[in-house]
């Protein structure tokens, strides 16, 4: 199946949205926790978190100014703080349900049965049922004029991890942490390792890194 | 396991890189194809492609100015064109091998056994063995001062897909396309669907979307 620029432009709009949301490949599945100045909490699924750098530890995400993500953006810009929580296979249905348009006064936590967890001195709520949780401090905010989305860059200032999923070399075994992936707008997936591959060198065959040899 | 800002700062640098590269969750696994003005081709694994919008169809990616990604950035800035090719389970080893530091005159295509595929009138090469391939036109380039990385935004102007992996609603069945995910710096994974979930509404239980009911 081949589509040129005109064919893509002429697709029915929901079909195009489903297709173009799928073509980047697998996406991370995260819940972003925020609170407004009155302490009212908000929770939203975000599939756009991307690694920016390890030192300092920076993650970026693309936030849409409309719909469910509007409150997330307003809250994190006001407070400078937000949390990133991995969606796992026990909570992906509750996570997806946070996208429903609840009345302004209803927190997605209460509505979906996800529980708030708080860190002393930090204004944004974690998801208690998540295994991997990060407290983020806003570092930079760039509106992207090309289509009205926003790039939000934050630094990880606190990290909670399931100890049994952290390998000896520091890498996280995401399937062991129960973390799921997202595809397109609505598909949740579990993953299984094919292999970890050694650092590539021109004249050496790749080696598989086993859990023992790390 | 809990790490505060100081504990993260004090991690051994390779350990921190392995950990922080894992905590964003699953990442898309793509090969970026470019050519320099002399037509010499380059191929690099990139795990930072992110959906920006569907209309126009825009994808962003974070590119590092050093190492293997330096040539990708120089080539796409000079030509304004690049390709994004999904890594699948048949080619993930060749894909990983493209990261080796070959001499400047050696194309990663020849070195790894991946084959070039060309589109009439387009200057960047596709990976013939990829099932999902996109021709990208550079739309915006923003150096990110916070850590010296670059945000590259491109528009999809040509799309090749395996017809049997495109569902009736336009969404792509990534496992059916053989597409793999990445975790951290070196782990490749296959994924299997848990469920597709219906559009969330406040007072309705979520429904699973089956292949038949789309």
């Amino acid at each position: 199946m081949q589509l040129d620029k005109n064919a893509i432009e002429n697709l029915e709009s929901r079909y195009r949205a489903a297709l173009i949301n799928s073509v980047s490949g697998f996406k991370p599945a995260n819940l972003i926790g925020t609170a407004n100045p009155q302490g009212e909490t908000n929770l939203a699924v975000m599939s756009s978190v991307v690694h920016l750098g390890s030192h300092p530890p920076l993650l970026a995400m693309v936030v849409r100014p409309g719909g469910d993500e509007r409150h997330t953006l307003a809250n994190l810009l006001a407070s400078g703080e937000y949390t990133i929580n991995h969606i796992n296979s026990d909570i992906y249905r509750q996570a997806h349900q946070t996208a429903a348009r609840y009345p302004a006064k209803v927190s997605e936590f209460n509505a979906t049965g996800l529980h708030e967890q708080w860190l002393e001195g930090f204004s944004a709520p974690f998801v208690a049922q998540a295994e991997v949780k990060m407290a983020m401090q806003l570092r930079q905010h760039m509106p992207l004029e090309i289509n009205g989305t926003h790039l939000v860059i934050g630094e990880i200032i606190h990290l909670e991890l399931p100890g049994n999923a952290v390998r000896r070399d520091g890498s996280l075994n995401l399937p062991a942490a129960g973390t799921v992936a997202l595809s397109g707008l609505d598909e949740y997936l579990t993953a299984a390792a094919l292999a970890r591959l050694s650092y590539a060198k021109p004249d050496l065959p790749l080696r598989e890194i086993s859990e023992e040899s790390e």
Side-chain angles (χ1 to χ4, degrees), chain A residues 21 25 38 46 63 69 78 92 113 131 158-159 199-200 208-209:
Chain A
N21 270 281
Q38 289 74 45
M46 219 77 95
V63 186
E69 299 177 16
Y92 75 98
E131 296 282 345
H158 175 91
L159 187 50
Y199 191 83
E208 287 199 19
I209 302 171

Side-chain angles (χ1 to χ4, degrees), chain A residues 2-198:
Chain A
Q2 297 211 7
L3 296 166
D4 64 12
K5 193 174 170 175
N6 274 332
I8 296 170
E9 169 70 28
N10 290 327
L11 293 173
E12 188 273 322
S13 72
R14 280 170 304 179
Y15 187 100
R16 183 176 52 234
L19 178 60
I20 302 301
N21 270 281
S22 309
V23 295
S24 57
F26 290 105
K27 304 195 270 195
N30 288 299
L31 279 164
I32 309 301
T34 56
N36 69 14
Q38 289 74 45
E40 294 165 342
T41 59
N42 186 277
L43 201 54
V45 175
M46 219 77 95
S47 62
S48 63
V49 174
V50 59
H51 175 83
L52 205 63
S54 296
H55 195 217
L58 298 174
L59 302 178
M61 61 183 184
V62 176
V63 186
R64 263 147 241 296
D68 194 43
E69 299 177 16
R70 183 166 42 100
H71 297 119
T72 299
L73 186 63
N75 289 350
L76 71 83
L77 291 178
S79 70
E81 299 179 336
Y82 55 105
T83 68
I84 300 179
N85 309 267
H86 282 204
I87 299 173
N88 62 51
S89 49
D90 290 335
I91 59 169
Y92 75 98
R93 287 168 182 270
Q94 288 103 308
H96 191 73
Q97 184 63 32
T98 64
R101 290 183 178 258
Y102 293 105
K105 289 287 165 194
V106 176
S107 167
E108 287 82 2
F109 280 99
N110 296 331
T112 62
L114 295 170
H115 301 134
E116 296 174 3
Q117 177 187 319
W118 296 91
L119 178 68
E120 179 79 27
F122 194 75
S123 70
F126 297 93
V127 176
Q129 293 103 318
E131 296 282 345
V132 179
K133 311 169 207 193
M134 289 166 270
M136 306 295 299
Q137 203 149 61
L138 179 65
R139 285 284 174 251
Q140 201 174 349
H141 164 235
M142 303 166 76
L144 301 176
E145 284 169 26
I146 196 165
N147 72 346
T149 54
H150 294 251
L151 187 74
V152 169
I153 299 174
E155 180 172 350
I156 305 169
I157 59 165
H158 175 91
L159 187 50
E160 287 190 36
L161 302 159
N164 63 344
V166 181
R167 301 195 186 98
R168 256 186 291 173
D169 68 348
S171 69
L172 194 54
N173 184 336
L174 293 177
T179 300
V180 300
L182 252 168
S183 171
L185 295 161
D186 53 24
E187 186 173 9
Y188 294 82
L189 307 98
T190 53
L194 283 163
R196 293 187 66 195
L197 298 178
S198 59

